Amino acid sequence: MNPHSIYDNSFFKFLQSRYLETFLEAQRAQWTILVPVEGTFRLCHVNSTFVGFHILKPSPLYADHFVCHRHLPATLVELDSERNVLHTTCGFPYPKHVCIVGEEIAYNENLQPYRILLICEPIHFPTPRRRSRAPHHAHSRQIRRGWSSELDPMNDSTDTPAPPSFEEAKAYLHSISVFSETLRVIEEKVEAFNKTYVIVPKFISDVVDRIRSIAETATQVLTSDSTSDPDKLAICVDNYVSGLAHHKVFNAVKSICGNDDADLERRLEFLRLSNVAPDMLGVQEECFHCELPISIVELASLNAKYTPVDKLWCIRRTLSSIQREVASHFVKCGADLEFGEDVPSLTAETLIPLVVVVLARSRPTSFSSNIFYIDHFCGVKDDFSSFTLSTFKAAVEFVGKYRGPELDHLSPRLLRKELSLVDLMEVTASINEGSAADSKSTAGSEDGYHSKAATRSNPVDSKLEQITRLIEKQTLDFHSKEEEHLRRLQEREPRASSSLNSSATSVDSNEEGSLLFSPLSTLRRSLRGQSKPN
Amino acid sequence: MGTENEYKVVLLGEGRVGKTSLILRYVHDKFNDRLDRTVNASYLTKTVALGMKRVDLAIWDTAGQEMFHALGPLYYRDSQGAILVYDITDEDSFRKVKNWVKELKKMLGNEVVLVVIGNKSDLESERSVPLHEAESYAKSVGAAHFLTSAKLNRGITEVFLHLCKEMIMKRARDGARRQSTGAGAQRNRLQVETSDDNAEPTRTNKCCSLI
């Protein structure tokens, strides 16, 4: 339960049940209802006086002044709208300042609005106050920022506990001894399915029904066998059965989506090699140009998950990580200060390219299959799960349709599975032309701009060239260092000098191309030869 | 959607018409820190109390730029409400709304409650979409029309209140219709069974019969 959710709040629920008449009266009169954050009060303290303190009627004098509900005529509460604080003034034993965490506009039966304010703690305890064990300091910290997870859906969504994974479900089910016989039957049934069932691509819904039927029957039997929570049991059984049938089903899905997977993988590889960054995909705001390592690692674990539910939660966590990493980067780079009131938002236009970047860098294999698998085999999905799935589908579509200038100029070789001889020759010729253009431009001609364009037009090849140059340079450095080292050794080891001279001569006599030849290893060999008894 | 209280609402419209500002205004009211607004404008939730009813809205903001247009179906699928936003100072954005309505009608039929919004009503002096034209168009497609200003926080809660009301009513109507059709089917089935029970078994020489 979200402690910042007004609608899940036990006081608010209590108000709607035990004090329904008072609540309806407040609704009809459009009074303001104060709801203390969950955990800052105990329900045993909630009585009619407590309720009376938390329903505010507007004062006839000032707009921001309120009086508490009946029984408490002499009270006065002031609302400081700028600082989001309520000040208790008259009628309270001592003045108090209570932060407002959130506000909701609700409507009565005549659809007239009234306010519900979520406050960080009760404005007054009618009984001697005993602090609950709730983590009040944590709340206060959040409240100082004005943070409200009730109104922050991603926090809300990510706080939703993940269902037990396949391994957890398996461990849980096997930990209950009365289930052992039923589990054996389930395993046999799934094994029979794995061995005998022929998956026909056009009838994938039949596979879904089969697996669901096995899980449902098993759940019914297991529920009657034990006193375990039926919902938890159903989730565990569902995940367990899906996990047992995973290899068969997922392999079939992979064969169905094979072409899509291959195409997506090539495109993602293309993007990865071109060091795709958010700005290349149209993300304008620099504050969103950030590294997303946690998200990449999370998504990279997708194929290690054995059930559709586990896979769904993997992509859910990835999406949430992206949002968290962006938020963190945003704060770190001081963008909130820079933008002031016009804070840019992470809209779908930004989110989809960021997901594409994560996809490209995490290099997931069979991603289209995974999406198909989750979509068809996950059963009922809550709204954030649907949103996650849609966002990833949108990202896949985006990759398929993206025609950015940077990508258009890349060599087409990665887009094909195999290169024909003709293609190979064409590509080689284009590389040669490119390098020729490079060398011309570096020769000091007026074509500095063209050289840059050429480099930009083929970043993969230029990258490869850079790498080759780097390796050559490092090999030369290494070689010279080794020679230096050998010279020193030669001075110390007069005996080894003759063999060293011969090896050095052999190195010198080599062509420059054979730089990987190591004189040190020659020396070692010669020393080893000397140490051998004659 | 998971439960009977949950409704999916999708925001559609051209880029820069103020879709994101609208939902941020609606969901993040003045008592919420602006820092939180930096993230997650693409999917927001809001719970609304209507009398004793609770409505959980999942609001999906879509990408308005043309390059994302093809992704629209992924977002509006299974939605119960659609808010089509145009900028009153931009005639082209109103044309885009018309395209979206066509597409929604084609793909979802009458399954979705439509609301057309003319945003940036604070720029009335620069208006290029005539109000009567927008209103009559909305009426012709069975949608309500509202004028809003995300900048001045004007007219936004009314939009969502109307949408909630309409979606609740529609769901109730659909439920009642389903129930009556189900009951009708049940009645028919029972009648058939009764007649079968009373009827003499028909004799046929054919070994297989469709009846």
Side-chain angles (χ1 to χ4, degrees), chain A residues 346-364:
Chain A
L346 184 58
T347 57
E349 277 104 334
T350 314
L351 186 60
I352 294 169
L354 289 177
V355 172
V356 171
V357 170
V358 171
L359 273 171
R361 293 194 188 160
S362 63
R363 306 170 73 181

Side-chain angles (χ1 to χ4, degrees), chain A residues 322-369:
Chain A
I322 293 173
Q323 285 151 350
R324 271 198 297 270
E325 286 183 283
V326 168
S328 156
H329 173 77
F330 201 88
V331 175
K332 269 184 207 162
C333 71
D336 51 322
L337 301 171
E338 184 190 336
F339 288 97
E341 287 299 313
D342 301 321
V343 182
S345 305
L346 184 58
T347 57
E349 277 104 334
T350 314
L351 186 60
I352 294 169
L354 289 177
V355 172
V356 171
V357 170
V358 171
L359 273 171
R361 293 194 188 160
S362 63
R363 306 170 73 181
T365 52
S366 314
F367 191 74
S368 294
S369 299

Side-chain angles (χ1 to χ4, degrees), chain A residues 7-8 16 20 23-24 27 81 84 100-101 103-104 106-109 111 115 117 145-148 151-154 288 323 327 330 336 340-341 343-349 351-352 383-384 386-387 390-391 393-394 397-398 401, chain B residues 1-2 6 8 15 19-20 24 26-52 54 58-65 67-68 70-71 74-75 77 157-158 161 165:
Chain A
Y7 299 96
D8 294 333
Q16 289 176 305
L20 181 63
F23 177 66
L24 288 175
Q27 265 196 346
S81 303
N84 304 339
I100 300 168
V101 182
E103 180 187 17
E104 291 286 333
Y107 300 87
N108 63 20
E109 56 207 8
L111 300 180
R115 299 162 91 183
L117 299 180
R145 286 185 55 221
W147 182 85
S148 162
L151 302 165
D152 189 346
M154 291 308 168
F288 294 128
Q323 285 151 350
F330 201 88
D336 51 322
E341 287 299 313
V343 182
S345 305
L346 184 58
T347 57
E349 277 104 334
L351 186 60
I352 294 169
D383 202 73
F384 185 66
S386 307
F387 174 74
S390 297
T391 305
K393 279 183 188 173
E397 291 264 324
F398 185 88
K401 290 182 175 155
Chain B
M1 303 293 292
E6 290 176 4
K8 174 178 165 183
K19 299 186 295 295
T20 308
L24 287 175
Y26 180 61
V27 176
H28 295 268
D29 49 53
K30 63 176 177 172
F31 284 123
N32 293 288
D33 196 293
R34 64 191 166 77
L35 277 183
D36 294 330
R37 281 190 266 157
T38 57
V39 194
N40 310 328
S42 50
Y43 171 84
L44 295 162
T45 57
K46 173 90 173 171
T47 305
V48 184
L50 287 178
M52 293 302 286
R54 172 185 167 157
I59 309 166
W60 293 36
D61 187 15
T62 58
Q65 290 169 22
M67 65 188 288
F68 293 99
L71 309 177
L74 289 170
Y75 284 85
R77 201 181 66 174
T157 50
E158 287 81 353
L161 178 61
K165 245 175 18 185

Side-chain angles (χ1 to χ4, degrees), chain A residues 285-305:
Chain A
E285 298 90 351
E286 271 186 36
C287 53
F288 294 128
H289 298 176
C290 60
E291 294 296 318
L292 302 160
I294 301 169
S295 317
I296 292 166
V297 171
E298 183 63 54
L299 191 62
S301 71
L302 182 65
N303 282 321
K305 311 285 183 227

Side-chain angles (χ1 to χ4, degrees), chain A residues 207-488:
Chain A
V207 186
V208 178
D209 292 343
R210 284 289 175 109
I211 292 171
R212 196 173 291 158
S213 152
I214 296 172
E216 280 173 3
T217 316
T219 308
Q220 280 172 11
V221 176
L222 293 175
T223 311
S224 62
D225 280 356
S226 82
T227 53
S228 305
D229 175 14
D231 290 337
K232 187 184 176 188
L233 200 59
I235 293 167
C236 285
V237 172
D238 197 32
N239 220 6
Y240 182 54
V241 171
S242 304
L244 292 176
H246 170 75
H247 288 294
K248 169 148 184 131
V249 177
F250 194 59
N251 283 338
V253 168
K254 279 204 280 191
S255 67
I256 294 167
C257 305
N259 289 340
D260 294 342
D261 280 336
D263 185 50
L264 182 67
E265 275 164 33
R266 280 193 294 271
R267 286 172 184 275
L268 289 177
E269 185 66 1
F270 214 42
L271 290 168
R272 192 183 67 80
L273 288 174
S274 58
N275 291 323
V276 69
D279 55 328
M280 285 167 71
L281 302 174
V283 178
Q284 307 285 332
E285 298 90 351
E286 271 186 36
C287 53
F288 294 128
H289 298 176
C290 60
E291 294 296 318
L292 302 160
I294 301 169
S295 317
I296 292 166
V297 171
E298 183 63 54
L299 191 62
S301 71
L302 182 65
N303 282 321
K305 311 285 183 227
Y306 286 109
T307 66
V309 173
D310 289 357
K311 283 175 186 288
L312 171 66
W313 277 82
C314 178
I315 60 169
R316 256 183 86 129
R317 281 191 295 270
T318 306
L319 196 64
S320 302
S321 299
I322 293 173
Q323 285 151 350
R324 271 198 297 270
E325 286 183 283
V326 168
S328 156
H329 173 77
F330 201 88
V331 175
K332 269 184 207 162
C333 71
D336 51 322
L337 301 171
E338 184 190 336
F339 288 97
E341 287 299 313
D342 301 321
V343 182
S345 305
L346 184 58
T347 57
E349 277 104 334
T350 314
L351 186 60
I352 294 169
L354 289 177
V355 172
V356 171
V357 170
V358 171
L359 273 171
R361 293 194 188 160
S362 63
R363 306 170 73 181
T365 52
S366 314
F367 191 74
S368 294
S369 299
N370 276 304
I371 292 293
F372 183 93
Y373 189 48
I374 295 166
D375 201 12
H376 286 77
F377 289 87
C378 241
V380 179
K381 292 175 271 291
D382 68 15
D383 202 73
F384 185 66
S385 296
S386 307
F387 174 74
T388 305
L389 197 57
S390 297
T391 305
F392 274 91
K393 279 183 188 173
V396 170
E397 291 264 324
F398 185 88
V399 172
K401 290 182 175 155
Y402 184 69
R403 294 283 179 273
E406 288 83 2
L407 299 183
D408 282 345
H409 291 128
L410 281 174
S411 158
R413 63 197 160 129
L414 286 162
L415 278 178
R416 295 177 195 176
K417 204 166 190 177
E418 283 179 342
L419 283 174
S420 67
L421 195 60
V422 179
D423 291 337
L424 186 66
M425 285 164 71
E426 277 177 12
V427 173
T428 318
S430 70
I431 291 169
N432 290 339
E433 278 170 23
S435 58
D438 269 0
S439 59
K440 266 186 196 172
S441 59
T442 45
S445 72
E446 46 148 8
D447 292 336
Y449 169 75
H450 293 296
S451 83
K452 277 180 192 166
T455 317
R456 230 184 297 137
S457 73
N458 209 338
V460 179
D461 296 332
S462 65
K463 201 89 192 165
L464 284 171
E465 280 171 16
Q466 278 174 15
I467 293 166
T468 313
R469 261 181 251 130
L470 195 74
I471 291 170
E472 279 175 3
K473 190 171 175 265
Q474 284 192 341
T475 315
L476 280 167
D477 288 349
F478 178 66
H479 180 64
S480 59
K481 275 180 193 166
E482 277 207 357
E483 274 188 335
E484 182 64 35
H485 183 65
L486 283 170
R487 242 175 256 126
R488 280 189 203 142

Side-chain angles (χ1 to χ4, degrees), chain A residues 164-204:
Chain A
S165 66
F166 170 65
E167 293 300 335
E168 287 164 352
K170 187 179 173 184
Y172 171 71
L173 292 172
H174 283 279
S175 70
I176 302 170
S177 57
V178 287
F179 290 171
S180 56
E181 186 54 28
T182 317
L183 290 177
R184 193 182 56 76
V185 176
I186 295 172
E187 281 157 16
E188 279 174 10
K189 273 192 168 185
V190 179
E191 203 181 329
F193 167 84
N194 287 342
K195 280 183 181 165
T196 58
Y197 190 88
V198 179
I199 297 176
V200 182
K202 284 187 179 172
F203 294 93
I204 206 79

